[in-house]
Amino acid sequence: MKIILDAMGGDNAPDANIKGAVNAINKVKAEVVLVGKEDIIRSKIKEFYGKEMEEISERLKIQNSTETIEMEDQPTVAIKHKKDSSMVVGFNMLKKDEGDVFISAGNSGALLAGATLLVGRIKGIDRPALGGILPAYKSQLLLMDCGSNTNCKPINLLQFAQMSSIYLKNTYGIEHPAIGLLNIGTEETKGNELVRESYKLLKEKAEQLDINFVGNVEGRDAFSGKIDAIVTDGFTGNVFLKTTEGIGKFVKRSLVESFTQNLFSKISYLIAKKPIKSLSKAMDYKAYGGALFLGVKKPVVKAHGSSDALLFEYTIIQAEKFVENKAVEKMIEAFNNQKKD
């Protein structure tokens, strides 16, 4: 297996990308290919580790590219005109079967455009979507869409629910994943026009498409452990995602401060250290890696734009599992069978 990593994408590139790849290389079986400016990558590796890349691992490779798609670039224009950018080179490698999965923390719009234009959509899916995994009570929560489609139609949310169900069955072994529709209330009449119409469509098509639709879900109930996935438009989903990450950081910071205020609180921390570490680990979104671009013909993973070395490491490990579970192949098969039915 070969994992393709955009070494030049993200707020902390290329340092965090390179360090994450080096940290992950002995935790995965796959070959990891860093795509970017070769001279910069090699000099950084020498600076960080005091040795040549080949001395670190024979499974760590470089694919040279001379351009970078910046965050301020127009997505479609950048994909079409920056043909030697690390992102476009990575996508073309994936398309030509020169790699099994592509990871980037770069421009989200460009990643969506590249995945759609260069790799292509699965037949039967109108819009691919970002599926982010978040921690939930004694389980995990799949958020679809968490940022790729800001304007959606009910058919898109129906397909998000179907993709979520297929993905969770095949990757996490959840036989009948509970799929909810993110809303401001649980009643059928709540929400804006998109949500109300999506509710009707999901209710009508759920049995036919083998979706365990459990109805509307409020944000406060999303992490109860009773819901396996929530579907929404990419704008709402991204706000939900960023808010969740912010709350997690706030709780962890507040805990640290409360246990370091004085001698008594420090002693209390020693007693409560183990459960606090368990809570901190459960709330750490970094451990769940990046968001999967579900709906395209080959595996594509969007890492957080602000990814550090640890998050890149986790994302690489997650990407290997994604390929091993053949999630894309099973999704293609499911939508092909749907067309025949």
Side-chain angles (χ1 to χ4, degrees):
M1 186 192 303
K2 188 179 290 185
I3 297 170
I4 308 164
L5 176 64
D6 178 359
M8 313 308 289
D11 299 340
N12 301 312
D15 296 22
N17 313 44
I18 294 167
K19 290 177 180 177
V22 171
N23 292 345
I25 198 65
N26 290 322
K27 297 175 183 177
V28 296
K29 295 173 286 185
E31 183 177 298
V32 178
V33 182
L34 294 163
V35 184
K37 297 176 181 178
E38 184 169 0
D39 57 338
I40 293 176
I41 295 172
R42 287 191 177 277
S43 66
K44 288 285 185 180
I45 289 175
K46 187 74 173 177
E47 175 189 339
F48 298 149
Y49 305 103
K51 57 179 74 173
E52 299 298 331
M53 185 188 69
E54 290 77 10
E55 297 177 77
I56 294 173
S57 174
E58 60 181 14
R59 289 183 292 109
L60 195 61
K61 308 288 185 181
I62 298 175
Q63 175 64 51
N64 187 51
S65 68
T66 59
E67 297 177 292
T68 303
I69 292 179
E70 308 294 345
M71 290 298 186
E72 62 271 16
D73 285 343
Q74 289 294 320
T76 305
V77 174
I79 291 294
K80 289 182 176 179
H81 294 284
K82 288 189 171 182
K83 295 186 178 181
D84 201 41
S85 63
S86 54
M87 189 180 289
V88 173
V89 170
F91 272 129
N92 283 327
M93 289 177 67
L94 186 66
K95 184 179 180 180
K96 296 173 184 176
D97 293 324
E98 295 173 359
D100 298 284
V101 56
F102 176 57
I103 303 168
S104 178
N107 185 312
S108 296
L111 196 70
L112 173 62
T116 306
L117 295 173
L118 300 176
V119 180
R121 292 179 288 111
I122 293 172
K123 287 184 179 179
I125 295 176
D126 291 355
R127 292 188 185 182
L130 280 171
I133 297 290
L134 296 171
Y137 182 67
K138 294 184 178 180
S139 63
Q140 67 285 311
L141 175 75
L142 177 64
L143 173 62
M144 282 277 285
D145 176 13
C146 62
S148 56
N149 299 284
T150 54
N151 297 304
C152 291
K153 297 176 182 178
I155 185 63
N156 302 134
L157 269 62
L158 173 67
Q159 291 177 356
F160 295 170
Q162 190 179 3
M163 287 191 284
S164 298
S165 184
I166 294 167
Y167 173 61
L168 290 171
K169 284 179 186 177
N170 292 307
T171 303
Y172 290 91
I174 304 171
E175 192 58 36
H176 299 290
I179 313 294
L181 180 64
L182 186 61
N183 203 346
I184 57 172
T186 58
E187 299 88 349
E188 187 174 343
T189 54
K190 284 289 181 74
N192 57 22
E193 184 179 355
L194 170 64
V195 177
R196 292 196 306 272
E197 291 302 314
S198 297
Y199 183 98
K200 291 177 186 177
L201 189 59
L202 278 160
K203 194 173 180 181
E204 176 190 341
K205 298 286 187 180
E207 185 175 351
Q208 177 189 340
L209 299 176
D210 194 25
I211 300 170
N212 179 20
F213 178 55
V214 296
N216 290 323
V217 175
E218 295 182 60
R220 62 186 176 186
D221 297 320
F223 304 100
S224 64
K226 298 177 182 178
I227 309 297
D228 297 303
I230 52 173
V231 296
T232 185
D233 64 274
F235 179 86
T236 306
N238 195 258
V239 172
F240 181 90
L241 174 68
K242 299 290 174 59
T243 303
T244 301
E245 292 173 355
I247 291 172
K249 290 178 181 178
F250 164 72
V251 171
K252 289 169 71 175
R253 183 177 179 182
S254 298
L255 280 172
V256 170
E257 289 184 356
S258 65
F259 281 105
T260 55
Q261 287 180 349
N262 51 53
L263 181 61
F264 178 75
S265 64
K266 289 178 182 178
I267 295 171
S268 300
Y269 173 73
L270 292 176
I271 299 170
K273 186 176 180 180
K274 190 173 181 179
I276 288 170
K277 283 194 170 182
S278 296
L279 173 64
S280 180
K281 185 177 180 181
M283 293 186 68
D284 189 5
Y285 67 90
K286 289 183 180 180
Y288 294 84
L292 305 169
F293 240 130
L294 299 175
V296 292
K297 293 177 180 178
K298 299 285 182 72
V300 176
V301 179
K302 172 68 173 78
H304 289 261
S306 58
S307 291
D308 56 14
L310 181 63
L311 190 42
F312 273 114
E313 177 186 340
Y314 283 139
T315 302
I316 291 166
I317 294 168
Q318 175 208 43
E320 183 176 63
K321 291 177 182 176
F322 186 49
V323 176
E324 287 175 343
N325 290 326
K326 299 185 182 298
V328 171
E329 291 92 330
K330 290 171 182 176
M331 195 163 294
I332 292 171
E333 182 183 351
F335 276 87
N336 281 338
N337 291 337
Q338 176 186 315
K339 286 171 66 181
K340 291 173 185 176
D341 296 341

